[in-house]
Amino acid sequence: MTRTVLESKSKTVVIGFDEPFCVIGERINPTGRKKLAAELEAGDFSTVEKDALEQVACGAMVLDVNAGVVYNSNPNPNETEPPLMRKMIELVQGLVDVPLCIDSSVPGALEAGLAVAEGRPLLNSVTGEEERLEKILPLVKKYNVPVVAISNDDTGISEDPDVRFAVAKKIVERAADFGIPAHDIVVDPLVMPVGAMATAGRQVFTLVKRLREELGVNTTCGASNISFGLPNRHGINAAFLPMAIGAGMTSAIMNPVRAVEMEAIRAANFLMNHDPNGGEWIRFARVLDAVKEGKDFATASQEAASAGRVGGRGSREGRRRARG
């Protein structure tokens, strides 16, 4: 079975077909968050610290770190993003013990993050553009890390799922030319908004099955893309995630500080027999009980974490398997 191994200094998380669904926390990202972007430019990392601790307490097994701030004082990300990424990676890994996902469109920022990251982070991302392949795949090989492969290329994002599959296959084959195995490629087949494309959900479920069966790769996505522009987005996300898991998706970049979506994932893990005897579901149910009593989800999760963290077995058993 395909297993993608991620590591922090002290913890191993395995993304795999027979593992609990891997929740990659998305919130350390200034895109669309003007307040966070302004804080980062001013050297204020208080929100980053809060988001790191809160997401892990709520169940994130990996944290995505994105330093994509366009500075008012210097709009060139090639100059500003690498040092900011380095600082953010150092800060976050000093606060939490989960593996990190280094997220940037700037190759220099990716390498800056890789240079200071402890363990084996996930690199986010490579696409099918020739220029991007030639810049990113050597980094993947040099640092021996897994990488997110996004199914778009020089022609953009195709609405045809067969084209997106072909791009993913191309990336896997090009990675093999660099000596990078398929188990270190985590494909993002690109989730389209269902409000704009009625077949978006069915497309991604079919794509995930093909990627798993034909290429043998793990998969991920930006989960909230499915509900973009629609009311009650979290309800749609909470329905989409278990369906994606049933189709074979093994991870998602998402907001773990949403009880309804985390509840859906916990239930799906149990139903897929990735939570033996329902131990994690039972522990999570205690958090939900605290929410019913009036506590917000993040506070209830943090209190549970201080008493004995609610988390997926992938982080514990993964360490034994990876080293066993």
Side-chain angles (χ1 to χ4, degrees):
M1 300 294 278
T2 298
R3 300 167 68 251
T4 303
V5 178
L6 310 180
E7 294 178 330
S8 66
K9 185 176 181 179
S10 60
K11 180 170 290 186
T12 298
V13 169
V14 178
I15 303 174
F17 300 165
D18 59 347
E19 297 288 336
F21 191 71
C22 182
V23 175
I24 303 172
E26 70 178 7
R27 287 190 56 77
I28 305 175
N29 186 336
T31 304
R33 301 180 70 188
K34 292 182 179 179
K35 179 176 179 291
L36 177 57
E39 287 178 358
L40 292 174
E41 184 170 1
D44 178 359
F45 295 90
S46 55
T47 298
V48 171
E49 294 172 354
K50 174 180 177 293
D51 284 345
L53 295 168
E54 192 173 73
Q55 288 184 104
V56 172
C58 289
M61 301 162 68
V62 178
L63 290 186
D64 187 88
V65 179
N66 183 300
V69 180
V70 178
Y71 284 13
N72 292 318
S73 57
N74 182 354
N76 185 353
N78 293 305
E79 295 178 359
T80 60
E81 196 168 329
L84 180 60
M85 177 67 83
R86 186 179 302 111
K87 184 170 182 60
M88 290 174 70
I89 293 291
E90 291 175 333
L91 173 67
V92 173
Q93 68 187 5
L95 289 170
V96 297
D97 63 353
V98 300
L100 302 182
C101 176
I102 303 172
D103 182 1
S104 180
S105 60
V106 177
L110 292 175
E111 184 152 27
L114 286 168
V116 297
E118 298 172 335
R120 194 169 195 252
L122 178 63
L123 201 65
N124 187 9
S125 60
V126 68
T127 57
E129 291 101 336
E130 287 300 322
E131 182 181 0
R132 189 78 177 172
L133 289 166
E134 291 298 324
K135 287 183 178 179
I136 303 304
L137 291 180
L139 283 179
V140 174
K141 179 63 176 178
K142 176 182 176 180
Y143 287 92
N144 184 29
V145 294
V147 64
V148 174
I150 300 179
S151 299
N152 68 281
D153 60 13
D154 305 83
T155 63
I157 300 173
S158 174
E159 293 187 0
D160 184 341
D162 290 334
V163 172
R164 300 207 300 277
F165 177 84
V167 174
K169 184 177 180 181
K170 170 188 173 182
I171 297 172
V172 171
E173 291 173 346
R174 289 292 299 277
D177 292 339
F178 284 84
I180 300 164
H183 65 249
D184 275 341
I185 309 294
V186 182
V187 173
D188 181 346
L190 290 170
V191 175
M192 304 295 190
V194 71
M197 181 188 295
T199 59
R202 292 173 59 185
Q203 275 194 11
V204 77
F205 304 146
T206 300
L207 264 172
V208 165
K209 289 178 181 177
R210 286 192 69 190
L211 290 164
R212 177 170 177 156
E213 293 171 2
E214 297 181 36
L215 299 184
V217 293
N218 280 306
T219 46
T220 195
C221 71
S224 63
N225 288 351
I226 193 69
S227 62
F228 182 78
L230 292 172
N232 191 24
R233 294 186 64 185
H234 304 297
I236 294 173
N237 297 345
F240 168 75
L241 284 161
M243 295 176 74
I245 292 169
M249 187 169 282
T250 48
S251 68
I253 301 172
M254 55 174 287
N255 184 356
V257 192
R258 296 288 181 182
V260 64
E261 292 160 52
M262 291 303 291
E263 182 178 12
I265 288 172
R266 299 290 187 194
N269 281 338
F270 193 10
L271 293 167
M272 294 292 289
N273 195 28
H274 295 158
D275 177 10
N277 303 314
E280 295 300 330
W281 175 254
I282 292 167
R283 281 186 280 274
F284 183 73
R286 298 190 186 112
V287 174
L288 295 183
D289 287 342
V291 171
K292 290 175 183 177
E293 293 171 359
K295 292 182 179 177
D296 67 82
F297 179 60
T299 299
S301 298
Q302 287 172 322
E303 290 179 354
S306 65
R309 181 174 178 269
V310 176
R313 71 178 171 90
S315 59
R316 295 192 295 273
E317 290 190 11
R319 185 187 306 123
R320 293 198 293 272
R321 292 179 187 175
R323 297 175 181 173

